[in-house]
Amino acid sequence: MVKLDKQISFIKGKEKEAGEEEKPLFGAVLRTLKRLEEADKLEAGDFKEYQRVYFEWHKGLLGFNPKWDGVQGNALKSIIKYLNGEAKEGNGLLVWEFLLANWGLQSAWIQKQTSVQQINKYLTEMLGVIKKKYNEQQQSTDELEEMRRAAGK
């Protein structure tokens, strides 16, 4: 696959050679490539942080570092994209940390799915479990508060 910087350079050259009718097309492609380049730079920092959190969690859980390859890297990129897109105010990393910190809330079977590729595969289900548990806990807290108020009257 051709790297973004080479693609940008190529399109810039074509834009200079293009006629007036084609220049807006090349300009649009160039703007898109530059946005992708900026996103890649941001994701690179995110990637390292997500990976660091995962490695620490994995080593703490199993006592050794995870096997890491391109498949795991691509799965982590998918997780980053999803969590950063879904989390409020770009707090995807916090959601990632929270998910791993609350691993014990998952079913016994899911708890055995510790590779990034497996986590990516079951990510929405895992987040659903945590959300359900949180909502149940919040509901119990609200009910307890109501009982306290009722008893105090």
Side-chain angles (χ1 to χ4, degrees), residues 1-149:
M1 184 171 183
V2 180
K3 296 196 179 241
L4 278 174
D5 60 340
K6 292 196 183 241
Q7 291 178 27
I8 290 170
S9 176
F10 177 79
I11 294 297
K12 281 182 179 179
K14 290 294 182 185
E15 184 182 36
K16 288 178 185 175
E17 297 170 5
E20 290 302 312
E21 289 180 14
E22 296 171 325
K23 281 192 180 197
L25 174 64
F26 284 110
V29 170
L30 197 54
R31 284 189 298 280
T32 301
L33 290 173
K34 285 183 178 182
R35 279 195 297 267
L36 288 172
E37 185 179 44
E38 289 171 18
D40 277 355
K41 287 177 186 173
L42 291 175
E43 279 186 17
D46 275 353
F47 184 89
K48 288 178 182 171
E49 278 301 301
Y50 277 77
Q51 186 181 38
R52 179 192 59 76
V53 168
Y54 172 72
F55 269 68
E56 287 175 4
W57 170 79
H58 192 279
K59 189 159 189 165
L61 183 70
L62 299 174
F64 55 88
N65 284 325
K67 176 182 177 269
W68 196 261
D69 58 20
V71 172
Q72 300 304 317
N74 285 333
L76 186 57
K77 286 179 184 178
S78 178
I79 290 169
I80 293 168
K81 184 176 180 180
Y82 180 79
L83 293 180
N84 284 348
E86 290 295 316
K88 294 179 182 175
E89 299 175 19
N91 289 324
L93 183 60
L94 291 176
V95 175
W96 179 239
E97 291 172 332
F98 190 76
L99 172 69
L100 297 177
N102 289 283
W103 198 249
L105 297 176
Q106 303 298 330
S107 71
W109 185 82
I110 287 285
Q111 288 182 39
K112 294 176 186 173
Q113 312 305 311
T114 60
S115 76
V116 174
Q117 183 182 15
Q118 293 165 324
I119 294 170
N120 185 44
K121 183 176 181 179
Y122 299 107
L123 183 61
T124 55
E125 290 84 354
M126 293 174 177
L127 293 171
V129 166
I130 289 176
K131 185 175 182 178
K132 182 180 177 194
K133 298 282 185 187
Y134 174 78
N135 287 341
E136 287 172 0
Q137 181 182 1
Q138 189 63 41
Q139 185 178 2
S140 295
T141 303
D142 293 346
E143 289 170 0
L144 182 60
E145 190 60 36
E146 276 184 44
M147 289 177 10
R148 284 185 183 151
R149 275 189 256 136

